[in-house]
Amino acid sequence: MGGTQDVERPAGGLELIDVHKVYGQGGVAVHALRGVTLRVAPGEMLAVMGPSGSGKSTLMNIIGCLDRPTSGIYRIAGEEVGVKTDDELARLRNRRLGFVFQNYNLLPQLTALQNVELPLVYQGVRPARRREAALRALRAVGLEHRLHHRPAELSGGQQQRVAVARAIVTEPDVILADEPTGSLDSASGAEILAMFQALHRAGRTLVLVTHSEEVALHCERIVRLQDGRVVNDEPVPADRRRRAAPPGGDAA
Ligand SMILES: Nc1ncnc2c1ncn2[C@@H]1O[C@H](COP(=O)(O)OP(=O)(O)OP(=O)(O)O)[C@@H](O)[C@H]1O
Ligand SMILES: [Mg+2]
């Protein structure tokens, strides 16, 4: 989206400078990130790849303000995360970030609508506005006919669509997805990728972890990690870029 260019640090930009993450201490310490420097422009759609244990989820947890770097600098929209209190961090997370996980992470006892409303409950949004926004988000993912179903009553693809609705209901600048298609068949995966590409076209920043080259080719750029370091960082050439078919025949 053609936003104004005179803003010095527009909303969805991410900046990591020499970020390290060490879990544990002493003999059992695991050095999960070893000096990651990475800039993601606002509105960019980025894939993060790398072998198991290379630090992808650790990186996502830091980008998502779920965890802090052991050292180094992380800025989101120009705001330095390291200097914030836990409360400030929680607010930043709620305001700017949306999360999608491999296993959906929906609350089993809540309906689709209630799951999507939840981030707005935490924001203190009033019930009527909350419901309206959740309905809009569920409509955007094509689930207006499943509002009162609980997760166990939905297919995996539908559960992930609820998770996408929950991620976008707060209208975050940045959407983070760790293996969002990892548990889905290829048709359901393609639907999720089509939604991410639509969000990208709407100006959101997306960072997506995947083990699949095919999924990664739906992004603009691929960053590869190995042993906690960025070993490769390249744009996806236009002629290799994949476009996910928008959901057509929904087998609802
Ligand atoms: N909470 C933790 N405590 C201790 N070590 C951890 C913790 N989380 C991750 N690690 C270690 O940090 C390293 C990076 O883990 P991470 O989960 O980031 O890998 P990953 O690239 O996401 O792997 P996968 O593809 O299997 O999901 C691994 O060696 C892992 O064992
Ligand atoms: Mg992981």
Side-chain angles (χ1 to χ4, degrees):
M1 276 176 137
T4 46
Q5 295 301 304
D6 53 350
V7 182
E8 196 168 334
R9 291 185 194 279
L14 309 173
E15 191 175 28
L16 294 94
I17 303 169
D18 198 25
V19 164
H20 288 253
K21 179 68 191 183
V22 181
Y23 292 111
Q25 284 177 2
V28 294
V30 176
H31 209 145
L33 295 178
R34 299 170 179 265
V36 170
T37 295
L38 180 66
R39 288 181 182 80
V40 183
E44 203 172 355
M45 183 168 180
L46 179 82
V48 176
M49 300 195 73
S52 183
S54 58
K56 304 181 298 295
S57 294
T58 301
L59 177 66
M60 291 296 267
N61 287 344
I62 288 173
I63 291 178
C65 303
L66 296 163
D67 202 356
R68 296 169 188 269
T70 306
S71 68
I73 291 174
Y74 172 42
R75 294 194 191 99
I76 173 165
E79 292 190 74
E80 186 166 347
V81 166
V83 301
K84 296 197 180 295
T85 65
D86 287 351
D87 279 356
E88 288 170 335
L89 213 55
R91 241 174 295 137
L92 181 76
R93 195 161 59 225
N94 207 289
R95 187 163 42 104
R96 291 206 182 273
L97 296 155
F99 298 89
V100 179
F101 302 94
Q102 176 170 358
N103 297 316
Y104 328 129
N105 289 17
L106 302 173
L107 293 185
Q109 70 277 28
L110 300 186
T111 65
L113 189 59
Q114 289 167 335
N115 266 287
V116 176
E117 277 187 49
L118 208 51
L120 301 175
V121 174
Y122 297 141
Q123 281 189 0
V125 175
R126 287 207 207 100
R129 272 198 50 210
R130 208 156 80 196
R131 177 131 313 195
E132 194 185 317
L135 279 171
R136 203 178 321 125
L138 280 161
R139 219 173 286 131
V141 300
L143 276 182
E144 60 273 31
H145 58 309
R146 289 289 185 273
L147 301 178
H148 305 295
H149 284 59
R150 293 185 207 300
E153 300 161 346
L154 296 169
S155 72
Q158 289 170 337
Q159 288 182 63
Q160 195 60 306
R161 280 149 68 185
V162 175
V164 171
R166 181 186 55 186
I168 63 176
V169 75
T170 56
E171 306 196 354
D173 305 314
V174 182
I175 295 159
L176 304 176
D178 198 343
E179 287 278 358
T181 62
S183 300
L184 302 178
D185 62 63
S186 59
S188 303
E191 284 178 5
I192 297 298
L193 289 169
M195 286 169 199
F196 285 155
Q197 288 188 326
L199 289 163
H200 167 58
R201 286 194 297 274
R204 302 295 159 84
T205 305
L206 282 111
V207 183
L208 194 156
V209 168
T210 180
H211 282 282
S212 156
E213 287 290 335
E214 190 56 35
V215 168
L217 289 173
H218 288 76
C219 298
E220 292 177 297
R221 175 180 159 205
I222 304 178
V223 167
R224 292 175 203 272
L225 293 185
Q226 205 174 314
D227 297 326
R229 293 187 178 89
V230 174
V231 292
N232 194 268
D233 181 348
E234 284 180 353
V236 174
D239 61 336
R240 296 199 64 206
R241 187 101 192 267
R242 302 288 195 272
R243 189 164 291 272
D250 180 9

